[in-house]
Amino acid sequence: MTTAGEEMYALVERLYPLCRSITGDGVRATLDIVGEYVPLQTHEVPTGTQVLDWTVPQEWNIRGAHIADSAGRRVVDFAASSLHVLGYSVPVSATLPLSELRAHLHTLPDHPAWVPYRTSYYKPEWGFCLAQETLDAMPDGEYEVRIDSTLADGHLTYAEHVVPGQVPDEVIVSSHVCHPSLANDNLAGIAVAVFLARALAERTPYYTYRFIFAPGTIGAITWLARNAARVERVKHGLVLACAGDPGRLTYKQSRRGDAEIDRVLRHVLAASERPHHITEFTPYGYDERQFCSPGFDLGVGSLSRTPYSGYPEYHTSADNLDFVSPEAMADTLSVCREAFAVLDRNRHYVNLSPYGEPQLGRRGLYDALGGRSDTKQAQLAMLWVLNLSDGEHALLDVAERSGLPFDTVAAAADALHGAGLIKA
Amino acid sequence: MTTAGEEMYALVERLYPLCRSITGDGVRATLDIVGEYVPLQTHEVPTGTQVLDWTVPQEWNIRGAHIADSAGRRVVDFAASSLHVLGYSVPVSATLPLSELRAHLHTLPDHPAWVPYRTSYYKPEWGFCLAQETLDAMPDGEYEVRIDSTLADGHLTYAEHVVPGQVPDEVIVSSHVCHPSLANDNLAGIAVAVFLARALAERTPYYTYRFIFAPGTIGAITWLARNAARVERVKHGLVLACAGDPGRLTYKQSRRGDAEIDRVLRHVLAASERPHHITEFTPYGYDERQFCSPGFDLGVGSLSRTPYSGYPEYHTSADNLDFVSPEAMADTLSVCREAFAVLDRNRHYVNLSPYGEPQLGRRGLYDALGGRSDTKQAQLAMLWVLNLSDGEHALLDVAERSGLPFDTVAAAADALHGAGLIKA
Amino acid sequence: MTTAGEEMYALVERLYPLCRSITGDGVRATLDIVGEYVPLQTHEVPTGTQVLDWTVPQEWNIRGAHIADSAGRRVVDFAASSLHVLGYSVPVSATLPLSELRAHLHTLPDHPAWVPYRTSYYKPEWGFCLAQETLDAMPDGEYEVRIDSTLADGHLTYAEHVVPGQVPDEVIVSSHVCHPSLANDNLAGIAVAVFLARALAERTPYYTYRFIFAPGTIGAITWLARNAARVERVKHGLVLACAGDPGRLTYKQSRRGDAEIDRVLRHVLAASERPHHITEFTPYGYDERQFCSPGFDLGVGSLSRTPYSGYPEYHTSADNLDFVSPEAMADTLSVCREAFAVLDRNRHYVNLSPYGEPQLGRRGLYDALGGRSDTKQAQLAMLWVLNLSDGEHALLDVAERSGLPFDTVAAAADALHGAGLIKA
C-alpha cells in the first residue's frame, strides 16, 4: 500500500526535471502531469494582455544551452540541470574569452558545489548559473556559449481545479508553478495542493475550494485581474510553498492578522502540539503578496515548512529530491486537512432559547443523574455552544474559550442544531 | 462578644440537618430560619408553571427512608443524614436481593468513608447514597428498602430580601438553597449573604440590593421568568457559593468579563493583597449560568472560596460542619463588603473646569507652600480625579490608573464635588 | 570649534545667577538673554487678568534680602544665592528672636549642606531658605531680617519663538522659566529648546514649531487662555524639563498615551538603543498638566532626563552648574532632533495602485535579476510602504511593522511618491 506521502514524493520526482518558468512549455508539461491527478481547467493568456499594473510578457522556451571550452568539452550543460540557464535568457551563440563571459556567470561562492537559481524576466539578458567549483576549474581562454531559446509572443499558462462545495463562497489554495528543478520550492507545494484537493473531494465540503496553479507574481496578478468579480466570493485562502523540507511548519498570517484562516491555522497548529512558528504578514515571500495587497486584502495566509529564503538550500541546486521527504509532505498535508476541516465547520450559530439554559435533560441531551462532579465533555460543550451562540462567536471561538477540542464543540453544535435549539 | 464569623457559623449549624431540595418543606424551613435574621418575601410558584424553557416540577417531600438487612437492622438511614436518599426519589417499599439493589446504590469508591450527594429531579427514580465501606460490609441477601416520600403537585419556594438604596438600580446577590446537608455548598453562601444584607442596611446604600434565596437552576430560572421587567434594572450581581472552606478566594468573572462587578472584584482582591484567583466565565457552576445566559448577559459574577467541584469534599458528606469555619466566612464577608463599598461609590464624574487645572489653592484644597517634592496623596488624588473626570472614567479607573487607594480617590472626589468642581 | 553641548552649557551659566519667579524682572532678564539666540515675541499680561480658572497675580520683584546676627554679620544673604528667599516673599524688615524666626526658615534636615527651593505664590508670606548646617550654627538671640521685595500690580511675562513650517499645523515646545538658580530645572530645558529651535530652522520643517518660554502653571494657563483659537492647530507638543542631568532619558507620555508624539518618542528612543524610560501620563509634573487637562487633551508629552522630583538634588541648591553637563544636554537635544525629524516626515500615504503590487522593475525601482535571497532593504521598504499605504497607516507604522529604520521607510516613500505610485 502506498501512502499519500509516497505518492506526493513520486509526483515531485516526475516534475523535478522539467524546466519551468513564468511562461512556456515547461509550465504546460507540469500542468499536464498534475492533470493526471485532478482535472484542471487550463488558461492561456496572450502576451501583451494588461493585467492590473503589469503586462503579460513574451513566452520563453528553451531547447538547450551549454558552455563549451576550446576543446569542445561542455563544461556547463542545460541538459544536466534546468538551473544552468538564467531564466528568460535571450538566445545567444558566440565565442568569447572567459574574462568577458564572467559577467554572464552566476555562482554561489559560499556554497561552491551548488548551482544558484537566477532569472531576468523583464530585462533582456542571457546568463548561466554554475557551481563556483566549476568556474574555478575553467582556465582562461575562449569559450563557446550557446543558448537555444526563444522569446516570442505567446501565452502565459495557468490552471485551476475546483472542488465544488455546498455554498459558492470560495477558499483558494495557490501554489506557484514557475520554478525549475527545485524540489521544495515549489514541487512539494504543488504535490500537497494536489493531494489536498483529492482529500477534500472525498465528501462535498461546505466551501467551494479553488486550487490555483500559476506562475509566481505575474500568474497571481493575472488570476486576480481576470477574476475581479470572483474575488468577492473568496472568503479564505492559503498559499502553499516549501511544503516538503525537514523544518518545522510555519504559518505566515494574512495581512489582516485576524482573518478566520489565521485563527484556524493558529488553533490547529497549537492544538496539534506540533512544533511550529506563527509569523506576522510581510509583503514579501510568495503570492500572498498579491492576494494581500491593500486593494484586495484577502484573508489569505501562507503555509510552509521552513519559510521563504530561510534555508541555505533555498534557490539552489541543493533544493533537490534529497531535500524533501514523503514524511514532511504528509505532515504538511495533514495540517492542511485538519485546518480545512475546522474552517469548513466553523459556523456562527444563534441560540434560539437564549434566556436561561434550555432544559437539555428533557431533550435527552443531559444526564438525568445530578450531583456528580465529572460532567461529560459533550455536555460542557453544549453549554458552551449555547452560551456563546449570540451571533458574535463562531465555533472556533467556543473551542478556544472553552479549551475543548474543536471536534467536540462541533459535535455539540450538531446535536443542538438537531434538537432545534440553535440555528446557523 | 460574638463575631460575625461565629454568628454565621451558628446559622450554618442550624441549617445543616435540614433536608433541602429544589422544592419542599426543607426549603421552607430553611427560609423560615433565614427570615429570623432578615425579613424575607417568600414566593410559592405552583407546579406546572412555565418558566422560560422549563416547567416547575412537582413538589418533593420526604419523611424517612432506610435500607434494613434481613435481621431488620437499618444499615442506611435517612434519619442519620439527609444525603442518604437520592434527591427526588420516588417512594418505594420493597424487599429485594442486594444484587438488584445495587443498581440503586451510589457510593464513592475513591473515598470509601464518604457518602455522595446525588439527585434525579427530572427522571423518576429512587436510590440511596452510602459510604462504600457500608456497602462493602453488606452481605448478599435480601434487603428491605423503604422511602417514605411524596412527589405531588405543590409549589417551588424561593425568597427575596431587599435593602433599599438611593436609586432603583439593583444589585442582586444570589445563593442557592437546594442542597441538603452540605455545609460549604451552600449553607456558608447563604450565611454570608444574610450577614452581608445586614451590613449593607447599616446605612442607605446607593444601589438597591436584592438578595435571592432560591433553589439552583430551576429557582434562578423561575426568578428570571417572573422578573422580566425588573431585569432591566439589574446593573450588577454576585452569586455566592462555597463561601466557607479553607481555600483561597476565587472570583469567577461574568460572561462579559469586563462588567463593572468584574473590575470591582479584581481591584478589591488585588488591593487587599489576599491570595486569590480570578477566573474566566464558564457556562457551568452555579446560577451565573442563568444570569449570564446570552439573552440576559447580566453583569453577574460569582464569588467562592474553592470553586465548584474543585475540592474532593464537594458534593459529599465530607462537606460538613468541620469543613467550614467562622474565619473563612468572615473573610468572604469582608471582601463582599469591601467590593460593594467600592461598587456603591464608583461614579463617573465630569470636571466642570476642564480647561487647565482649576486653582485648588484658593479653594483651600492645596498647600500654599510650593516647591516641596512630597505632595500629599490627597492632592494627587484630586489632580487625578480632575484629569480623568471626562465622563469616560469612573473613580475605579482613577484608582487603577493612579495607583492610589480607592478610598483616597473617592474622598478626593467628595472634596471636589463639595467645591463644585465636578458633577456626577 | 564649540559643540552645541558647550554652547548650551554656556547659556545655562549665564542664566544661572538670575532670580526668576512666575513674574518679575528675573523672567525678563532671562528672556532677554534667550532673545540673543533666537528672536522672541514677548508678551506682558497685566495683573488681574482672568486666565481660565486663574487670575494673573501681582508682580514680584526683589532687590536684596538677608538675615543678620546681633553682630551685624549676614548669616544668610540673597546676594549669595537667589534660593535663599522664599519665592514671592512679602517685604519684611524686623528684628526678632531665633525662636520666632524659625517659623519662617526652610531647611533640608536630610541634606544639611543644601538650601531648599520654596515658594508661596498665592498666600502672602515671607521666609528664608538655608542650609540646615547654617541654621544649626545660629545661636539663640535676636536677628535682623530684611527682604527688600515688592509685590505690586504689574505683569506676567512670557515669550514665544516660531519656526515657520510648510503647513500652519503646529508643534509646541514648552519650557518653564520661573525657577531661580536651579540648573537642571529648568535652565537645561530652556537651553535645549533654544538650540532645538535653531536646528529646526536650518531648513523649513513641515510643521510650524512654536517654542513657549513661560512660567510654570500660571504661564501655561495664561498661554492657553490667550490662544484658545490656536489650540485647534496644535497637533503635537513636547514639554522640556530637567534636560541636563546625568540620568537616562525619560519620556512621559501624553494623557492620550497613543498620541503621535508618544509613538514617535517611543520609537526614536527604542531605535536609538539608548537606555531610557517610558512612563505613563500623570497629572503631576510640569506644564503637560495644563496641556493635557481633559478640556484640551492635547497630544503633548514631556521629555526629561531624571524626571520631576526623581533625584535628591531636585529643588535644592545641589541642582547647580555641576549637576548638568554639555554631554547630557547634547544627548537630549539629539533625541529631540531625531524625534522631530520623524514626526515631520510621518505622513499617511495612499497607494494609487493598490490591486496587486505595481511593477517596480519597469520604473527602475527594483532589481532586474531575480532569485536572490538578499533583497535590498530599500526594495523591502517600498513593498512595505505600498502594502500599508491604505490611509490607515503612517510611515512610522510601516517602520514599526517592518522593523526597518524610519529613514529607510521615508526614503522609500519619497521614491514611490516620485514615481507617482502613492499620494499623501
Side-chain angles (χ1 to χ4, degrees):
Chain A
M1 190 190 122
T2 313
T3 66
E6 287 160 0
E7 290 184 86
M8 289 188 283
Y9 191 84
L11 173 54
V12 170
E13 282 184 307
R14 287 182 69 191
L15 297 173
Y16 184 70
L18 299 174
C19 180
R20 280 161 292 273
S21 186
I22 55 172
T23 62
D25 290 333
V27 175
R28 289 188 190 95
T30 297
L31 297 177
D32 283 348
I33 292 171
V34 168
E36 295 175 23
Y37 292 77
V38 288
L40 293 183
Q41 181 181 8
T42 303
H43 304 265
E44 296 280 351
V45 184
T47 296
T49 304
Q50 187 72 21
V51 285
L52 304 178
D53 186 65
W54 302 58
T55 306
V56 172
Q58 288 195 310
E59 181 176 327
W60 183 65
N61 281 292
I62 181 162
R63 283 156 298 278
H66 67 259
I67 303 173
D69 63 16
S70 55
R73 201 172 52 88
R74 295 189 172 191
V75 294
V76 175
D77 195 338
F78 173 76
S81 167
S82 69
L83 293 175
H84 277 315
V85 170
L86 176 77
Y88 258 64
S89 276
V90 296
V92 66
S93 178
T95 301
L96 69 178
L98 182 58
S99 56
E100 284 179 35
L101 180 55
R102 281 184 188 277
H104 297 272
L105 301 183
H106 304 277
T107 64
L108 293 167
D110 289 347
H111 294 283
W114 296 355
V115 178
Y117 162 54
R118 295 288 180 270
T119 64
S120 184
Y121 299 136
Y122 298 101
K123 183 184 170 196
E125 183 63 80
W126 64 265
F128 287 86
C129 300
L130 65 161
Q132 180 70 39
E133 294 173 350
T134 306
L135 177 56
D136 292 344
M138 286 165 67
D140 283 342
E142 297 287 307
Y143 287 86
E144 181 208 43
V145 296
R146 183 167 172 84
I147 297 179
D148 179 15
S149 66
T150 49
L151 200 53
D153 284 358
H155 295 83
L156 176 148
T157 310
Y158 73 87
E160 296 174 283
H161 167 71
V162 174
V163 181
Q166 298 166 34
V167 296
D169 289 345
E170 292 196 0
V171 179
I172 56 172
V173 181
S174 165
S175 315
H176 61 281
V177 296
C178 53
H179 283 34
S181 302
L182 299 169
N184 195 42
D185 182 12
N186 190 32
L187 303 179
I190 295 167
V192 170
V194 166
F195 280 77
L196 178 58
R198 285 166 59 148
L200 284 167
E202 284 166 14
R203 51 180 163 180
T204 306
Y206 177 75
Y207 290 111
T208 294
Y209 286 78
R210 180 175 301 270
F211 289 78
I212 301 169
F213 301 96
T217 306
I218 186 69
I221 283 169
T222 299
W223 187 89
L224 283 163
R226 291 162 56 97
N227 288 276
R230 182 181 308 283
V231 163
E232 280 281 291
R233 298 217 301 260
V234 175
K235 302 303 178 195
H236 319 284
L238 194 64
V239 170
L240 282 174
C242 302
D245 70 76
R248 60 177 61 180
L249 280 158
T250 300
Y251 176 69
K252 172 180 164 180
Q253 299 183 101
S254 77
R255 181 178 184 271
R256 298 181 195 165
D258 64 348
E260 192 172 336
I261 190 76
D262 300 324
R263 303 195 54 232
V264 166
L265 265 295
R266 290 197 306 249
H267 178 83
V268 164
L269 284 165
S272 79
E273 299 186 356
R274 281 173 175 84
H276 67 275
H277 289 297
I278 303 291
T279 66
E280 296 294 320
F281 177 75
T282 65
Y284 211 64
Y286 295 104
D287 285 331
E288 65 275 11
R289 293 163 66 161
Q290 312 309 328
F291 299 121
C292 298
S293 54
F296 295 115
D297 200 16
L298 298 176
V300 174
S302 174
L303 187 68
S304 304
R305 300 194 72 84
T306 307
Y308 177 88
S309 183
Y311 47 98
E313 298 85 353
Y314 172 79
H315 279 192
T316 77
S317 56
D319 179 1
N320 58 26
L321 292 169
D322 293 336
F323 188 59
V324 299
S325 71
E327 294 71 27
M329 285 189 279
D331 184 61
T332 308
L333 176 62
S334 169
V335 165
C336 290
R337 293 186 65 171
E338 291 168 38
F340 287 162
V342 170
L343 182 67
D344 226 54
R345 286 186 294 169
N346 190 31
R347 293 285 94 63
H348 285 72
Y349 287 99
V350 174
N351 183 342
L352 298 171
S353 185
Y355 294 98
E357 291 171 9
Q359 194 178 9
L360 297 176
R362 70 171 148 91
R363 294 173 174 94
L365 299 174
Y366 213 80
D367 274 354
L369 182 71
R372 291 166 45 163
S373 60
D374 58 339
T375 308
K376 291 166 184 155
Q377 276 209 333
Q379 293 182 190
L380 288 176
M382 278 187 277
L383 294 174
W384 274 108
V385 171
L386 286 167
N387 193 272
L388 292 180
S389 288
D390 53 5
E392 300 282 306
H393 298 88
L395 294 186
L396 182 58
D397 298 299
V398 179
E400 298 217 322
R401 281 190 61 167
S402 67
L404 295 167
F406 183 86
D407 282 349
T408 304
V409 169
D414 288 345
L416 293 168
H417 193 257
L421 285 167
I422 59 175
K423 69 171 180 179
Chain B
M1 190 189 122
T2 313
T3 67
E6 287 159 1
E7 290 184 86
M8 289 189 282
Y9 191 84
L11 172 54
V12 169
E13 282 184 307
R14 286 182 70 191
L15 297 172
Y16 183 71
L18 298 174
C19 180
R20 281 162 293 272
S21 186
I22 55 173
T23 61
D25 290 333
V27 176
R28 290 187 189 96
T30 298
L31 297 176
D32 283 348
I33 292 172
V34 168
E36 296 175 21
Y37 291 77
V38 288
L40 292 183
Q41 182 181 8
T42 303
H43 304 265
E44 296 279 352
V45 185
T47 296
T49 305
Q50 187 71 22
V51 285
L52 303 179
D53 186 64
W54 301 59
T55 307
V56 172
Q58 288 195 310
E59 181 176 326
W60 183 66
N61 282 292
I62 182 161
R63 285 156 296 278
H66 66 259
I67 302 173
D69 62 18
S70 54
R73 199 173 53 88
R74 294 190 174 190
V75 294
V76 175
D77 194 340
F78 173 77
S81 167
S82 69
L83 293 175
H84 277 315
V85 170
L86 176 77
Y88 258 63
S89 276
V90 296
V92 67
S93 179
T95 300
L96 68 178
L98 181 58
S99 57
E100 283 179 37
L101 179 56
R102 280 185 188 276
H104 296 271
L105 301 183
H106 303 277
T107 64
L108 291 167
D110 289 348
H111 293 283
W114 296 355
V115 179
Y117 162 54
R118 295 287 180 270
T119 64
S120 185
Y121 300 135
Y122 297 102
K123 183 183 170 197
E125 183 63 81
W126 64 265
F128 287 87
C129 300
L130 64 161
Q132 181 68 40
E133 294 173 351
T134 306
L135 178 57
D136 291 344
M138 286 164 67
D140 283 341
E142 295 287 307
Y143 287 88
E144 182 208 43
V145 296
R146 183 165 171 87
I147 298 180
D148 179 16
S149 66
T150 48
L151 200 52
D153 284 358
H155 295 83
L156 176 148
T157 311
Y158 73 88
E160 297 175 281
H161 167 71
V162 174
V163 180
Q166 298 166 34
V167 296
D169 290 344
E170 293 196 0
V171 179
I172 57 172
V173 181
S174 166
S175 313
H176 60 280
V177 296
C178 54
H179 283 34
S181 302
L182 299 169
N184 195 41
D185 183 9
N186 189 33
L187 303 179
I190 295 167
V192 170
V194 166
F195 281 77
L196 178 58
R198 286 165 60 147
L200 285 166
E202 283 166 14
R203 53 180 162 180
T204 306
Y206 178 75
Y207 291 110
T208 294
Y209 286 79
R210 179 175 301 270
F211 289 78
I212 302 169
F213 301 96
T217 304
I218 185 71
I221 283 168
T222 299
W223 187 88
L224 284 163
R226 291 161 56 96
N227 288 276
R230 182 181 309 283
V231 163
E232 280 280 292
R233 297 217 302 258
V234 175
K235 301 305 177 194
H236 319 284
L238 194 64
V239 171
L240 281 174
C242 303
D245 71 75
R248 60 178 61 182
L249 280 159
T250 300
Y251 177 68
K252 172 181 164 181
Q253 299 182 100
S254 77
R255 180 178 185 273
R256 297 180 195 166
D258 63 348
E260 192 173 335
I261 190 76
D262 301 324
R263 303 195 54 233
V264 165
L265 264 295
R266 290 197 306 250
H267 178 83
V268 164
L269 285 166
S272 79
E273 298 186 356
R274 281 173 174 84
H276 67 276
H277 289 295
I278 303 292
T279 66
E280 297 294 320
F281 177 76
T282 66
Y284 211 62
Y286 296 103
D287 285 330
E288 66 275 12
R289 292 163 67 161
Q290 312 310 326
F291 299 122
C292 298
S293 55
F296 294 114
D297 199 18
L298 297 176
V300 174
S302 174
L303 187 68
S304 304
R305 301 193 72 83
T306 308
Y308 177 88
S309 183
Y311 46 98
E313 298 85 354
Y314 172 79
H315 280 193
T316 78
S317 56
D319 179 1
N320 58 27
L321 292 169
D322 293 335
F323 188 58
V324 300
S325 71
E327 293 71 26
M329 285 188 279
D331 184 59
T332 308
L333 175 63
S334 169
V335 164
C336 291
R337 293 185 66 169
E338 290 168 40
F340 287 161
V342 170
L343 182 68
D344 227 53
R345 287 187 293 169
N346 191 30
R347 294 285 91 66
H348 285 73
Y349 288 98
V350 174
N351 182 341
L352 298 172
S353 185
Y355 295 98
E357 291 171 9
Q359 194 179 8
L360 298 176
R362 69 172 150 89
R363 294 172 174 95
L365 299 173
Y366 212 80
D367 275 353
L369 182 71
R372 292 166 42 165
S373 59
D374 59 340
T375 308
K376 292 167 184 156
Q377 277 208 332
Q379 294 182 190
L380 287 177
M382 278 187 276
L383 293 175
W384 274 107
V385 171
L386 286 166
N387 194 272
L388 292 179
S389 288
D390 53 6
E392 300 281 307
H393 298 90
L395 294 186
L396 183 58
D397 297 299
V398 179
E400 298 219 322
R401 281 190 60 167
S402 68
L404 295 168
F406 182 87
D407 283 350
T408 305
V409 169
D414 288 345
L416 293 168
H417 192 257
L421 285 167
I422 60 175
K423 68 170 181 180
Chain C
M1 189 191 121
T2 313
T3 67
E6 286 159 2
E7 291 184 84
M8 290 188 283
Y9 190 84
L11 172 55
V12 170
E13 282 183 307
R14 287 182 69 190
L15 298 172
Y16 184 70
L18 299 173
C19 180
R20 282 162 292 273
S21 186
I22 55 173
T23 60
D25 290 333
V27 175
R28 290 188 190 95
T30 298
L31 296 176
D32 284 347
I33 292 171
V34 168
E36 296 175 22
Y37 291 77
V38 289
L40 292 184
Q41 182 180 10
T42 303
H43 304 265
E44 296 279 352
V45 185
T47 295
T49 304
Q50 187 72 22
V51 286
L52 304 178
D53 186 63
W54 301 57
T55 306
V56 172
Q58 288 194 309
E59 181 177 327
W60 183 67
N61 282 293
I62 181 162
R63 284 156 298 279
H66 67 259
I67 302 172
D69 62 18
S70 53
R73 200 175 52 88
R74 296 191 172 188
V75 293
V76 175
D77 195 339
F78 174 76
S81 167
S82 68
L83 294 175
H84 278 314
V85 171
L86 177 77
Y88 258 64
S89 275
V90 296
V92 67
S93 179
T95 301
L96 69 179
L98 181 58
S99 57
E100 283 178 37
L101 179 56
R102 280 184 187 277
H104 297 272
L105 301 183
H106 304 276
T107 64
L108 292 168
D110 290 348
H111 293 283
W114 296 354
V115 178
Y117 162 54
R118 295 287 180 271
T119 64
S120 185
Y121 300 136
Y122 298 102
K123 183 184 172 198
E125 184 62 82
W126 64 265
F128 287 87
C129 300
L130 65 161
Q132 181 67 42
E133 294 174 350
T134 306
L135 177 57
D136 291 345
M138 287 165 67
D140 283 342
E142 296 287 307
Y143 287 86
E144 180 209 44
V145 296
R146 184 168 171 83
I147 299 179
D148 178 16
S149 67
T150 49
L151 200 51
D153 285 358
H155 296 82
L156 176 149
T157 312
Y158 72 89
E160 296 175 282
H161 167 72
V162 174
V163 180
Q166 298 166 34
V167 296
D169 290 346
E170 291 196 2
V171 179
I172 57 172
V173 180
S174 166
S175 314
H176 60 281
V177 295
C178 52
H179 283 35
S181 301
L182 298 169
N184 194 41
D185 182 11
N186 191 32
L187 303 179
I190 295 167
V192 170
V194 166
F195 281 78
L196 178 57
R198 286 166 59 148
L200 284 166
E202 284 166 13
R203 52 179 163 181
T204 307
Y206 177 75
Y207 290 109
T208 294
Y209 286 79
R210 179 175 303 270
F211 289 78
I212 302 168
F213 301 96
T217 305
I218 185 69
I221 283 168
T222 300
W223 186 89
L224 283 162
R226 291 161 56 96
N227 288 276
R230 182 181 309 282
V231 163
E232 279 281 291
R233 297 218 301 261
V234 174
K235 301 304 178 196
H236 320 284
L238 194 63
V239 171
L240 281 174
C242 302
D245 70 76
R248 59 177 62 181
L249 280 158
T250 299
Y251 176 69
K252 172 180 164 180
Q253 299 182 101
S254 78
R255 180 178 185 272
R256 298 180 195 165
D258 63 348
E260 193 173 336
I261 190 76
D262 300 325
R263 304 196 53 232
V264 165
L265 264 295
R266 290 198 305 250
H267 177 83
V268 164
L269 284 165
S272 79
E273 298 186 356
R274 281 173 175 84
H276 67 277
H277 290 296
I278 303 292
T279 66
E280 296 294 320
F281 177 75
T282 65
Y284 211 62
Y286 295 103
D287 285 330
E288 65 275 11
R289 292 162 68 161
Q290 312 309 327
F291 299 122
C292 298
S293 55
F296 294 115
D297 200 16
L298 297 176
V300 174
S302 174
L303 187 69
S304 304
R305 302 194 71 84
T306 307
Y308 177 88
S309 183
Y311 47 98
E313 297 86 353
Y314 171 80
H315 279 193
T316 78
S317 56
D319 179 2
N320 58 26
L321 292 169
D322 293 335
F323 188 57
V324 299
S325 70
E327 293 71 26
M329 286 188 278
D331 184 60
T332 308
L333 175 63
S334 169
V335 163
C336 290
R337 292 185 65 170
E338 290 169 38
F340 287 162
V342 169
L343 182 68
D344 227 53
R345 286 187 294 168
N346 190 31
R347 295 284 92 65
H348 285 74
Y349 287 99
V350 175
N351 181 343
L352 298 171
S353 184
Y355 294 98
E357 291 171 9
Q359 195 179 7
L360 298 176
R362 69 171 150 90
R363 295 172 174 95
L365 299 174
Y366 213 79
D367 274 353
L369 183 70
R372 292 165 45 165
S373 58
D374 59 340
T375 307
K376 293 167 185 156
Q377 277 207 333
Q379 295 183 188
L380 288 176
M382 278 188 276
L383 293 175
W384 274 108
V385 171
L386 286 167
N387 193 271
L388 293 180
S389 288
D390 53 6
E392 300 281 307
H393 298 88
L395 293 186
L396 182 58
D397 299 299
V398 179
E400 299 219 321
R401 282 190 60 168
S402 67
L404 295 167
F406 182 86
D407 282 349
T408 305
V409 169
D414 287 345
L416 293 168
H417 193 257
L421 286 168
I422 59 176
K423 68 170 181 180

